Amino acid sequence: MTRAAAPGGLRGVLGATGGMTLVGTLAAISATIGRYPVFSGQALRYALAAAILLPLAARQRSRAAGPLGVRDLFLLLALTATGLAGFNYCLVEAARHADPATVATVVGGAPVVMAFAGPLVAGHRPSLRVLLGALLVAGGAGLANGVGGGSAEGFAYAAGALAGELLFSLLALPLLPKLGPVRLSAYCTALAVPMLAALAVIAGESPRVPTAGEGAAIVYAGVVITVVAFLLWYDALGRLGPDRASLFAGVIPISAAVTTMVLGLGVPSGATLAGCLLVAAGVTYGTTLGGGQDYRKKDDDA
């Protein structure tokens, strides 16, 4: 095995990079639909994703490892409530009480937490190499986004968004061997629709027909950021394990900065570029041979 061929292989690395790169474009895309009701827009996004994923999932039923049990259903509901609906709710509320830099910096700490929690949940010992890489990634994300400011309430909501991001991966670990990336993505996106619709009602939103620009952004979010990114991420998660895969969350601020520049919404600062370099160093160090575990089953060669 070469140094580049760490557990999980090149496919896991490329999948995690691609998935997080697509997620990073969400910040800039969201700026184009800032006036559309937030939870209604998210409900439309996940409804579109579910419409694409459910037919794909139906084709895989014959290969399923038995019917879903009560524990599986509970994990699916918990994953959807926290990692999708809860994450979106906390992110919206955090943005109302704190500036974007504070929110991004708090959520950017996910790799450090996952470097500890991920292996423990899966019954493995945390890797020092991955932890050091995670610290570099989190530091780079904080440098790229700045320190920011905000109220204690804003920080609490940002912490809630961080928890949602972590649970999106941790709760998926016991489900991936049975469901696989396609069925897991299909089920959680479908379950997210009524949850987000309920949040829209609670928030008093008045849904309307999106404009052409808003519609294009919602379609992009549903197809590219949800369908494609979810499949890439969950496939990589099974191959790399949560600790090593979480390092690639540091790609998000890099992708966000590039997308913002491409769309003409701003030019990255020197601190942003320095933070991006630190993130790249952390990902490279943490994913080389000697860090992390391969969480796939022994017979999973796909």
Side-chain angles (χ1 to χ4, degrees):
M1 184 186 296
T2 65
R3 189 170 183 79
L10 180 62
R11 177 169 164 175
V13 171
L14 293 177
T17 303
M20 291 299 98
T21 297
L22 295 177
V23 171
T25 66
L26 181 60
I29 296 301
S30 296
T32 67
I33 53 174
R35 296 183 179 179
Y36 194 82
V38 177
F39 297 120
S40 299
Q42 291 297 319
L44 288 175
R45 165 194 173 185
Y46 287 117
L48 175 60
I52 296 171
L53 288 166
L54 286 174
L56 296 177
R59 297 179 184 177
Q60 296 191 345
R61 266 188 200 165
S62 60
R63 292 181 285 167
L68 294 179
V70 175
R71 177 175 177 269
D72 299 322
L73 293 174
F74 173 80
L75 288 173
L76 265 175
L77 287 171
L79 188 159
T80 306
T82 58
L84 277 71
F87 173 80
N88 281 285
Y89 172 75
C90 287
L91 209 57
V92 169
E93 291 299 320
R96 291 176 179 169
H97 297 90
D99 59 40
T102 298
V103 178
T105 301
V106 173
V107 177
V112 178
V113 181
M114 191 70 81
F116 275 111
L120 293 176
V121 169
H124 299 288
R125 202 162 112 191
S127 163
L128 178 60
R129 187 183 195 93
V130 174
L131 176 59
L132 292 176
L135 290 171
L136 288 174
V137 168
L143 180 60
N145 289 293
V147 178
S151 66
E153 190 174 4
F155 181 84
Y157 278 117
L162 169 61
E165 181 177 349
L166 294 170
L167 291 171
F168 178 73
S169 296
L170 291 176
L171 293 175
L173 286 176
L175 292 169
L176 279 171
K178 176 177 284 190
L179 296 178
V182 175
R183 294 178 73 210
L184 177 57
S185 299
Y187 295 163
C188 67
T189 52
L191 288 171
V193 177
M195 292 184 185
L196 286 161
L199 286 174
V201 173
I202 294 172
E205 292 184 354
S206 299
R208 57 175 172 79
V209 177
T211 64
E214 291 169 342
I218 290 172
V219 169
Y220 176 85
V223 176
V224 178
I225 301 179
T226 305
V227 175
V228 179
F230 275 34
L231 293 180
L232 288 173
W233 176 251
Y234 277 143
D235 181 69
L237 184 65
R239 294 173 182 277
L240 300 175
D243 50 351
R244 293 175 66 233
S246 70
L247 296 177
F248 290 87
V251 175
I252 292 177
I254 301 175
S255 174
V258 172
T259 306
T260 299
M261 184 173 60
V262 169
L263 293 178
L265 301 176
V267 178
S269 65
T272 297
L273 295 176
C276 291
L277 290 175
L278 195 57
V279 166
V283 171
T284 301
Y285 180 76
T287 55
T288 51
L289 185 63
Q293 301 281 345
D294 188 347
Y295 289 76
R296 290 176 296 163
K297 293 187 294 183
K298 296 298 183 182
D299 59 349
D300 182 9
D301 296 320

